[in-house]
Amino acid sequence: MGYTREEIENIAETLNRKYKIKSQYNSDDKSLNIEDLVYTLGGSIEKVAFVDVGANTMSIDSADQEDDGRWKDVSFVIKVSATDSPRRQNFTLAHEVGHLFLHYLKADPANRKDSFNRISYIEGGNIEREANIFAGALLMPSKEYKEVYDNCGGDLIEVANIFNVSVPAAEVRASVLGIL
């Protein structure tokens, strides 16, 4: 573990591009259908009444790595709180996909985790920070974000609407990109 911000953003934005090309996305639509991406990757989504601190948020059931390093037959379950807004759920799903890529699929086998729990950022440290950076870049790729931000005159409510994320998520992304 221990990725740089640039490495994390590159992985997330590459996944965004590949998914949009493969799914023949409408190029005018900037928001990513994260639920469909989860299903495409081999995952399922379980909406539960509430995900408390310490509760399991993602379990990786199986994954087989080919000799060439590619993964196949990946199966995982992500739990989200049904009481969270759909936009908050989008970020949660993207955050858990970040854990899948950064802390399982691309992780050194000695550091590979196959289960993730909801924990505080203080407790979770670097892996939680990395998953958040991944989620922001996956849902709001830097080039697209900057274009949308400029076209909206910096109106974060409009930016959030376009990317189908919460206003705080759009604000944090602007800060990470050095726009604010």
Side-chain angles (χ1 to χ4, degrees):
M1 290 185 258
Y3 299 94
T4 67
R5 190 187 106 207
E6 292 76 23
E7 289 170 327
I8 295 167
E9 289 194 359
N10 184 49
I11 294 166
E13 292 184 14
T14 299
L15 176 60
N16 178 295
R17 275 191 309 278
K18 285 182 176 182
Y19 170 74
K20 285 183 175 180
I21 289 168
K22 190 174 184 178
S23 64
Q24 299 178 347
Y25 240 67
N26 174 353
S27 62
D28 294 335
D29 189 4
K30 301 291 184 205
S31 68
L32 178 73
N33 184 337
I34 188 67
E35 287 187 6
D36 189 60
L37 174 61
V38 167
Y39 299 134
T40 299
L41 293 171
S44 62
I45 301 166
E46 186 178 327
K47 294 186 180 183
V48 297
F50 181 73
V51 179
D52 202 2
V53 174
N56 181 272
T57 52
M58 182 173 66
S59 297
I60 300 163
D61 300 324
S62 65
D64 296 318
Q65 193 168 21
E66 299 284 343
D67 290 337
D68 64 4
R70 290 184 295 154
W71 289 92
K72 69 175 190 166
D73 300 327
V74 178
S75 175
F76 59 98
V77 178
I78 298 174
K79 293 180 185 175
V80 295
S81 291
T83 56
D84 285 348
S85 72
R87 290 179 178 195
R88 178 68 184 111
Q89 290 176 6
N90 287 346
F91 195 87
T92 298
L93 291 169
H95 175 97
E96 298 304 328
V97 169
H99 281 311
L100 173 70
F101 274 80
L102 300 173
H103 308 124
Y104 188 85
L105 298 177
K106 295 191 177 291
D108 180 291
N111 295 323
R112 191 171 287 147
K113 292 182 66 174
D114 60 5
S115 181
F116 297 88
N117 297 329
R118 175 168 277 175
I119 54 177
S120 71
Y121 295 111
I122 294 168
E123 227 181 306
N126 205 38
I127 70 166
E128 292 304 307
R129 182 189 66 80
E130 290 173 345
N132 278 341
I133 292 168
F134 184 97
L138 179 63
L139 296 170
M140 301 169 277
S142 57
K143 182 180 176 200
E144 290 179 28
Y145 186 93
K146 290 173 183 175
E147 288 172 6
V148 167
Y149 185 89
D150 288 344
N151 290 341
C152 294
D155 181 345
L156 290 173
I157 294 171
E158 187 59 30
V159 172
N161 287 338
I162 290 169
F163 286 104
N164 200 23
V165 297
S166 67
V167 174
E171 183 177 22
V172 167
R173 186 67 175 145
S175 179
V176 166
L177 293 173
I179 296 171
L180 288 180

